[in-house]
Amino acid sequence: MMQLDDETLNAYLDGELDPVVRADVEAALARDAEARARLEALRRVSLLGRTAVDELSRLSVDESLQERVWPLPKPEPDCPAARTGRAMTILSGALVLLLGMGLGAWLFPSSPRLAGEAAAVATAWPRQAAWFHHLAAERRTHARPLVLDVEGSEPARLQVELNRTLQQRVVVPDLSDLGLRPLGARLLVEQARPLAQIFYQDAGGNLVSLLVALDSGPDTRPRFERVDDGPATAQWRRANTRYVLVGEPERVRLQDLVPVVAERTTR
Amino acid sequence: MTDEDASRFPAGWLGRLRRGELARPRGRLSSGESRFRRELLALLPRMRGHALALTGAADRADDLLQDTCERVLLRWRQWNGSGSLVAWVLRIMHNLWYDRLRAEAVRATDPLPEDDPVLADPPGAEGHTELQQTLAAMVALLPEQRAALLLVSVEGLSYREAAGILGVPVGTVRSRVSRARAALVEALKPAVGRQS
């Protein structure tokens, strides 16, 4: 009769036995109540250990370490010189676009073709939104609950908290007809500037998020960018509010979502 | 850096920050490095949990995590991208931990500091004395047993993978895991008994 010592039981528990030995162990276990109880005790402490370390993994990691691992660019300074610099950059870019692609393409900057061309130039807002989005998406990948300040199951509270955070009325867009269910929102302060990121989920479990922040300036048309081969983003400004929509490019077509979101956020 | 800034960093970090020893990216990241860094970023909570359970103290865990990240970022090109990033990072973390143990000559039991606020009262474990007792029992294990148990039982690595990380034969991992679980069963008899 097979001897069911601790090492064998642990190897069985850890899936380390080949099929023949495994079958022998199972046959021996069927006859040996004491060994079954011992196996259960080993299984139990294993589970307790895993749960305990999982709890430790829920602790937040120091932000300075996160920043060093994946540095976040500082928001662009909002000063006249910077604005002039940006204007020159935009003007140069526009000239290149006009010469290289023709007037038609320039008139429709949100076309997929131009979105691809612009992908190499990710600016601060999309990077910031993509960073928050990525952190949330990774929690989902690792079967962890999203960290949210307001749950999407309370739409009225979500709206109130968003307005309170931004000190301005910004409509939480209802995208349910597009198959997007609100999960909730993070309410954050970055560089002394309040902002919110609203998370939605489609039927396939894919995340789409919308970053909203106060950002004075003229209205802009949506600009599509891809951040470091990662999330796709679309940013625009309307009524002194910056919006950045983020989604995984393989799973979500932002070009289809942007017009709807832009229209519904300012109703 | 002001004193207020300094207080944001756990003990041990400030000196390295001041000496500029932390791995910092220079200029724009390549897409490969950017992708690597994002994957590492997503691993940080899990790595910190592992470091806490491995070292048994928050300040040691944060130092270990910091050093691990520093070394991982310096060597990121050595990761071939085809294997498990978790296993690669854990190998570096465990090597650093053993170097430190050897340097400090920390042997035998490395008891849970009773006043460590993190381990004594982990998040989600409020009122769950079972989890607190489990952590205490794990930290009371011999370091080599704890390491083997964490890799196999918590991280779900195979004995062969754990042996590769720890630099010992597969049979040694098998034996260490077995002894570690036996010690936990003994230490957690009431909890284990309630369940069975």
Side-chain angles (χ1 to χ4, degrees):
Chain A
M1 184 176 165
M2 185 176 203
Q3 189 66 32
L4 292 177
D5 57 21
D6 260 12
E7 281 197 19
T8 307
L9 289 174
N10 278 297
Y12 173 76
L13 189 61
D14 294 323
E16 292 283 337
L17 299 177
D18 66 51
V20 175
V21 180
R22 188 173 179 83
D24 288 346
V25 168
E26 283 170 356
L29 278 170
R31 294 189 298 268
D32 188 342
E34 198 175 323
R36 283 201 302 276
R38 181 67 176 169
L39 177 67
E40 191 47 46
L42 294 169
R43 196 194 307 275
R44 173 73 179 147
V45 294
S46 226
L47 178 64
L48 279 172
R50 207 159 38 241
T51 309
V53 178
D54 267 357
E55 291 299 330
L56 292 178
S57 301
R58 288 173 55 194
L59 290 165
S60 59
V61 176
D62 189 285
E63 283 180 14
S64 64
L65 180 58
Q66 296 186 43
E67 170 72 14
R68 270 157 190 78
V69 170
W70 203 41
L72 190 65
K74 304 295 179 209
E76 296 164 42
D78 196 17
C79 60
R83 276 202 295 271
T84 307
R86 280 203 300 274
M88 289 303 289
T89 307
I90 292 165
L91 190 58
S92 310
L95 280 170
V96 170
L97 287 174
L98 277 170
L99 292 171
M101 299 171 191
L103 187 60
W106 184 77
L107 285 172
F108 301 99
S110 60
S111 72
R113 181 180 167 199
L114 270 184
E117 298 294 334
V121 200
T123 49
W125 281 111
R127 282 187 68 93
Q128 191 161 36
W131 189 59
F132 293 140
H133 182 96
H134 173 77
L135 292 179
E138 283 299 320
R139 289 188 70 84
R140 301 292 297 270
T141 304
H142 295 285
R144 309 248 184 232
L146 283 190
V147 178
L148 297 167
D149 296 301
V150 196
E151 296 287 337
S153 54
E154 303 174 86
R157 185 166 166 249
L158 179 58
Q159 183 65 67
V160 168
E161 293 295 339
L162 188 70
N163 292 345
R164 184 177 297 161
T165 297
L166 299 175
Q167 303 276 302
Q168 177 169 315
R169 178 165 168 74
V170 175
V171 178
V172 178
D174 178 1
L175 304 175
S176 52
D177 56 328
L178 302 175
L180 291 171
R181 181 173 64 85
L183 295 172
R186 299 284 339 250
L187 307 172
L188 307 157
V189 177
E190 180 72 22
Q191 302 280 319
R193 190 194 322 241
L195 57 88
Q197 193 152 13
I198 309 165
F199 291 92
Y200 296 86
Q201 178 179 269
D202 70 10
N206 301 308
L207 278 185
V208 173
S209 65
L210 177 66
L211 181 141
V212 187
L214 299 188
D215 183 30
S216 303
D219 289 1
T220 61
R221 286 197 279 184
R223 176 178 170 182
F224 293 82
E225 297 177 47
R226 181 118 183 242
V227 178
D228 297 333
D229 295 333
T233 68
Q235 64 160 326
W236 67 95
R237 180 165 51 202
R238 187 178 280 188
N240 292 323
T241 307
R242 172 73 58 177
Y243 298 91
V244 188
L245 194 64
V246 189
E248 293 303 322
E250 299 83 8
R251 296 166 183 167
V252 178
R253 272 186 57 80
L254 291 188
Q255 285 90 346
D256 298 339
L257 290 176
V258 166
V260 182
V261 175
E263 191 265 330
R264 293 183 187 176
T265 43
T266 46
R267 267 180 184 168
Chain B
M1 182 178 286
T2 65
D3 288 343
E4 191 180 343
D5 291 331
S7 67
R8 291 177 54 219
F9 299 100
W13 290 22
L14 190 54
R16 288 199 296 278
L17 274 172
R18 283 187 169 142
R19 292 194 297 273
E21 291 175 5
L22 298 174
R24 292 170 190 275
R26 291 175 188 166
R28 191 176 172 80
L29 300 177
S30 68
S31 67
E33 183 174 4
S34 178
R35 194 177 306 117
F36 178 87
R37 282 174 176 267
R38 274 191 286 129
E39 288 184 27
L40 180 63
L41 182 72
L43 284 183
L44 286 183
R46 183 173 170 185
M47 286 166 59
R48 184 158 192 262
H50 192 98
L52 280 165
L54 187 65
T55 62
D59 56 347
R60 285 183 180 194
D62 285 334
D63 269 358
L64 180 61
L65 179 61
Q66 178 75 37
D67 289 349
T68 303
C69 285
E70 197 175 336
R71 190 162 295 190
V72 163
L73 290 174
L74 284 172
R75 297 180 178 181
W76 75 272
R77 284 189 179 83
Q78 294 173 15
W79 185 57
N80 59 20
S82 59
S84 158
L85 178 60
V86 174
W88 190 69
V89 171
L90 287 176
R91 179 194 295 267
I92 290 172
M93 179 182 278
H94 278 255
N95 283 342
L96 285 168
W97 174 236
Y98 272 96
D99 287 348
R100 195 164 296 180
L101 280 183
R102 275 193 288 270
E104 294 174 4
V106 176
R107 296 297 302 169
T109 56
D110 191 8
L112 174 72
E114 287 179 3
D115 58 348
D116 190 308
V118 176
L119 288 175
D121 191 15
E126 297 87 352
H128 295 263
T129 50
E130 204 171 68
L131 289 186
Q132 292 167 359
Q133 287 166 355
T134 303
L135 283 172
M138 287 174 75
V139 174
L141 294 170
L142 290 173
E144 54 267 29
Q145 290 178 5
R146 188 163 68 233
L149 184 76
L150 281 171
L151 293 173
V152 171
S153 200
V154 174
E155 299 298 339
L157 301 184
S158 69
Y159 287 1
R160 184 173 298 280
E161 287 172 313
I165 287 173
L166 297 173
V168 297
V170 172
T172 304
V173 171
R174 183 181 169 121
S175 160
R176 286 180 183 175
V177 169
S178 178
R179 286 181 193 163
R181 284 208 185 110
L184 287 188
V185 169
E186 189 61 31
L188 301 170
K189 256 181 183 166
V192 174
R194 263 201 311 279
Q195 181 68 17
S196 48

